[in-house]
Each structure stands twice: as C-alpha cells, then as structure tokens.
Amino acid sequence: MRPGGGLTMGRKSTGTVRVLKGENEKPQWHAKWTRADKTRTEWVALDPKIALDDEEGAKAYAARHAARARQTRAPGSAVETVEGYAKRWLDDREGRVNSIRDDRSRIRDHILPTLGPLDASTFTRDDVEHLRDVLDGKITKGELAWKTVECVWTLVTSMCADMVNAKRRELRARDDNPCRDVKPPERGARKAKQYLYPSEFLAFVTCERVPIHWRRAVALAIYTYTRDAELRELRWTGDVDLAHGVLSITRAFNRRTGTVKSTKSGETRRFSLEPNLLPLLHLLHERAGGAGQVFEMDATHFSRTFRRWLTEAGVTRAELHNGTATSKPITWHDLRATGATWMAVRGDDPLKIKQRCGHASFSTTEIYIREAEAIREGFGDVFPELPTCLLGIAPNRPGAILFSRSSLKKGKSRAGHEVRTRDLRLGKPTL
C-alpha cells in the first residue's frame, strides 16, 4: 500500500489503516474499525512513532486495538442486551420449533440471570464460560439434571451461532461466536430406560381391576412401537391397512399447540403389523365404523397413572416404580422402548428395528440390541397372543356376535411370524 492509500484487513475486523494528517498537520498512521453493531468508528491516530513506511507495524498496532474498538458504539445508538436479543430470537422461532415453550422457560430461568444484562454484541467467551460454570454448579447441587443442562447449553450455542450467521440478516448481531471452542457443562450417566417383560404385560392386560381402555392402550403402544404423539394421530383411513396388515406412521400430535406436526425424525415410515395385534385392531375398527382415530384417550399425568395401574395389577418390580441416580421409573414412552426391546430379543434384523421405530441414528437402535443380548435367556415369549378378555370375547354369552373379519388363516405373516386361525365373538368394547 502506498502512503495515503487504504487497506481493509480480513473478515475478522482488525482495522483499516491509512496515512492522514495528524496533529500539527504532520502525516501519521490512522485506523478505523467496524464495530460489533456494524457501524464504523472515526479515523483514530495511531502511535506517531510508527514510521510512515512501516505498513506492517501500523496494521499490527491496529489489530491489537481492534477488540476494544469493536466494543464501542456509535454516538446515540441503543444497546441491545442479551435479554432483548433472546426475545427477538425466540419470537422468530415461534411456530417453527416444537419445543418453543420449553425454550422460553429455559432461557428465562437458566441463561438470562447470567447473560441477560450484557451487551449482545460484545459479551465475551469469558461470560459464556461463567455461564457454563454456573450450570455445572447446578448439576453438582442437584438443582438441575445434567440432561436438562444439556438442553440449556444447546440453546446457548444455537443462539450465539445465529448472532453470527442467522438466515435472517436482522438477527445477525456480531462478527464472532463467543461460544466457539468453549467446553460444555459436565455430562452425567444416561439413565437406563425401563421395559416390561412379557409376563408383566400379560399380568397387566388380564387384570380386570384395570380399566379395559388402559389395557388396550398399553397393548397398542407396545405392539406398534410408536411414540405417544404418533399413536394419538393414527387414523383408520390411510394409516391402518388391515387387508394387508400394514401400518403407516406419517404424522404426530403437537401437544403444545393441539395441532398436527411431522414425526420426530421428519420422515414417514411403513411396516407390517404384529400378527397378534390384528384381532384387537379388527375389533376397534368394527366399533369405530372404520373412521376416525384409532386411539383416543383423555388422561393427565399419563406415566404416573400408568404406574398406579401397574401396581393394581400386581406388577410391582422395584425398577418400574422407583428411580435412582442411574435409572428412572417406567414412563408411558417406555412402552415404545418395550416394543423395541422385544423385537431385539426376538432377533429381528437391526435395520428393520430402526425403520419400524423411526430412529434417526443406528446408535439408538444398538442400545436395545445390546440390552437384548444380555437378557434374552429366560426373557419370555415376546408379542404374545392377546388374551380373550382384552378382545371382548364372551363365547357363551347370549347375543354374542361372530366377527369373521378377524379370522386369520394359519400361515406366515408379512413379517414372517406364524399366525393361527381363530374365530372371535365380541362383546361391546369400551374403547
């Protein structure tokens, strides 16, 4: 660069240097920088001792002072705090992110108390590391589970990344990512999921003290390996093909908004139904007139109520009811884990298990395969025939009707499992 010319440094703002007239009309090196709010500083005189032909010395001097210059603001400009930016950022995610309500509470309770008052365009890596240390402290004190902290940390890193490179340019607030290369909070041991043994399942579904709609719901959840939100959105038309024994999972229920959303993985899946579930599906299909939802159940505290009915049925294995530091009590979602475990115990092809369950990663499927290898001996016969009491059968009761559509010829199902012929006499179902 010749004296009097200008030089713009790299993408990271280290300043532009130029020889201008300084005090006493003498030429000397000057620099200007781009602030974090995208405004430019005025020309600032550098050390007059820098020789006019020492361009590299001028650039080095400007680079050393760039960080401080970026933290300045244009006269009269307003300071946007992290709290203000977080509000804009969350508002932009509204309607696009299913977890937005949880995101708002996590940012409010665990991020803003530490970062909220700081300038969104100038807070530093040290500030982020301080937040990380605060989160670690909450884990140590038992105030937060490490899994919750992991979700909080994901929010912080996502927000800081968008401050630099958001799709919407108005959400870009700075040139650098203060989370970059910051080590995350400590992770704890992943708590073991629970599952039912076939004998426990049969004890539950044959217990007449448990409402029949609960027993049928548990059977549906295990035998279809679906998520609760997916099961709630199953329709007889388009989703359940009884003629060919095929189930299609195409959407899920958004409990936050009461609307329909895509599946968790964003993909649809189609697979053969468990043969022993077909009689129950034929029953429910008949009573529903082949239209509407497959399963509809209005209940609060699903997991807690489920455990209460397990106790009523005499299924009292301690691991199902008492959480520890390394395991959690059984939840409704664990019925899906039960179905996955049963498939692995049966020796189903791992890729088929992954596809039926809709796992995004094969590493998730491997969890069930490793568990099955350890417990297969003496586990019991998986996906057993559903008991007659679950199907509303009372063959000696006057007025019972023959439901011929659920008669299945002996042979192999599409999934390769033996199917036995049966005639079902149905009473009035309650689901």
Side-chain angles (χ1 to χ4, degrees), residues 46-160:
L46 303 183
D47 190 340
K49 296 179 182 178
I50 302 174
L52 296 181
D53 60 353
D54 187 5
E55 177 186 331
E56 294 302 320
K59 290 192 294 185
Y61 190 96
R64 288 197 299 271
H65 291 78
R68 180 177 300 176
R70 285 199 299 272
Q71 294 179 18
T72 64
R73 287 193 162 270
S77 63
V79 174
E80 182 179 43
T81 63
V82 173
E83 182 175 4
Y85 180 88
K87 182 181 185 306
R88 287 200 299 129
W89 185 69
L90 289 169
D91 289 346
D92 180 68
R93 291 160 67 89
E94 188 75 50
R96 297 189 294 108
V97 179
N98 293 326
S99 61
I100 189 64
R101 190 170 72 177
D102 289 337
D103 291 350
R104 288 186 183 278
S105 62
R106 286 166 181 158
I107 284 183
R108 180 193 66 230
D109 297 337
H110 307 300
I111 297 175
L112 295 186
T114 302
L115 299 182
L118 303 180
D119 186 334
S121 63
T122 61
F123 74 96
T124 65
R125 172 179 174 147
D126 286 342
D127 298 316
V128 176
E129 289 184 330
H130 176 55
L131 172 64
R132 188 267 322 278
D133 295 341
V134 170
L135 294 174
D136 273 338
K138 291 185 177 183
I139 296 176
T140 302
K141 296 175 183 177
E143 297 176 4
L144 286 180
W146 73 266
K147 187 66 177 176
T148 302
V149 168
E150 186 177 56
C151 294
V152 172
W153 188 251
T154 298
L155 274 177
V156 174
T157 55
S158 297
M159 183 173 67
C160 287

Side-chain angles (χ1 to χ4, degrees), residues 164-219:
V164 179
N165 196 30
K167 286 185 178 179
R168 292 183 55 188
R169 290 179 175 82
E170 57 267 33
L171 288 175
R172 300 177 189 175
R174 54 191 299 152
D175 294 323
D176 64 315
N177 185 342
C179 285
R180 185 174 181 178
D181 297 329
V182 175
K183 293 186 179 297
E186 296 296 330
R187 294 185 54 149
R190 188 175 295 276
K191 291 190 176 183
K193 293 182 179 181
Q194 302 299 338
Y195 50 80
L196 293 177
Y197 287 98
S199 59
E200 294 172 327
F201 166 73
L202 290 174
F204 181 84
V205 296
T206 56
C207 179
E208 296 191 358
R209 294 188 300 276
V210 178
I212 194 168
H213 59 276
W214 269 93
R215 290 184 273 155
R216 288 172 173 167
V218 168

Side-chain angles (χ1 to χ4, degrees), residues 297-369:
M297 190 171 179
D298 184 16
T300 56
H301 306 296
F302 240 58
S303 297
R304 188 185 311 165
T305 306
F306 171 50
R307 290 193 293 271
R308 179 165 62 86
W309 288 124
L310 280 175
T311 301
E312 187 69 23
V315 182
T316 56
R317 181 160 53 94
E319 293 92 333
L320 300 178
H321 298 274
N322 303 318
T324 68
T326 57
S327 66
K328 60 183 181 65
I330 193 167
T331 65
W332 183 265
H333 185 76
D334 287 332
L335 296 177
R336 165 179 160 82
T338 296
T341 302
W342 285 13
M343 283 190 284
V345 168
R346 187 168 61 189
D348 289 10
D349 183 275
L351 291 178
K352 290 182 179 179
I353 298 175
K354 178 179 181 295
Q355 194 274 336
R356 292 169 188 163
C357 292
H359 293 153
S361 169
F362 188 71
S363 61
T364 303
T365 310
E366 286 183 308
I367 295 173
Y368 301 101
I369 296 173

Side-chain angles (χ1 to χ4, degrees), residues 223-406:
Y223 281 56
T224 60
Y225 358 103
T226 52
R227 300 176 178 91
D228 171 55
E230 296 169 344
L231 182 58
R232 288 171 183 254
E233 278 301 316
L234 281 182
R235 298 290 191 273
W236 290 114
T237 303
D239 296 336
V240 184
D241 183 353
L242 291 178
H244 300 94
V246 173
L247 184 67
S248 299
I249 308 297
T250 62
R251 59 192 173 276
F253 178 73
N254 188 335
R255 62 188 176 90
R256 304 293 188 193
T257 62
T259 59
V260 178
K261 63 177 182 178
S262 64
T263 62
K264 183 177 181 181
S265 64
E267 299 179 355
T268 62
R269 59 190 190 276
R270 184 177 292 109
F271 52 86
S272 296
L273 286 158
E274 293 290 337
N276 285 331
L277 181 63
L278 289 173
L280 177 58
L281 289 176
H282 278 295
L283 165 68
L284 301 179
H285 183 270
E286 173 77 3
R287 293 305 181 183
Q293 289 177 264
V294 173
F295 166 73
E296 185 173 4
M297 190 171 179
D298 184 16
T300 56
H301 306 296
F302 240 58
S303 297
R304 188 185 311 165
T305 306
F306 171 50
R307 290 193 293 271
R308 179 165 62 86
W309 288 124
L310 280 175
T311 301
E312 187 69 23
V315 182
T316 56
R317 181 160 53 94
E319 293 92 333
L320 300 178
H321 298 274
N322 303 318
T324 68
T326 57
S327 66
K328 60 183 181 65
I330 193 167
T331 65
W332 183 265
H333 185 76
D334 287 332
L335 296 177
R336 165 179 160 82
T338 296
T341 302
W342 285 13
M343 283 190 284
V345 168
R346 187 168 61 189
D348 289 10
D349 183 275
L351 291 178
K352 290 182 179 179
I353 298 175
K354 178 179 181 295
Q355 194 274 336
R356 292 169 188 163
C357 292
H359 293 153
S361 169
F362 188 71
S363 61
T364 303
T365 310
E366 286 183 308
I367 295 173
Y368 301 101
I369 296 173
R370 289 195 297 268
E371 181 74 11
E373 290 173 347
I375 62 176
R376 183 174 286 118
E377 190 69 28
F379 188 83
D381 295 331
V382 299
F383 300 106
E385 291 186 23
L386 299 180
T388 56
C389 63
L390 199 64
L391 303 174
I393 299 175
N396 299 321
R397 189 185 67 186
I401 60 173
L402 181 65
F403 190 39
S404 59
R405 281 191 297 173
S406 60

Side-chain angles (χ1 to χ4, degrees), residues 8-47:
T8 301
M9 308 299 287
R11 178 171 178 80
K12 183 177 180 181
S13 178
T14 54
T16 299
V17 295
R18 179 176 297 176
V19 174
L20 300 172
K21 290 183 179 180
E23 294 183 5
N24 302 320
E25 296 295 316
K26 292 182 179 181
Q28 71 179 87
W29 285 103
H30 287 66
K32 67 162 48 178
W33 299 266
T34 300
R35 301 185 181 96
D37 61 1
K38 309 302 182 183
T39 61
R40 296 277 282 174
T41 68
E42 299 296 327
W43 286 106
V44 177
L46 303 183
D47 190 340

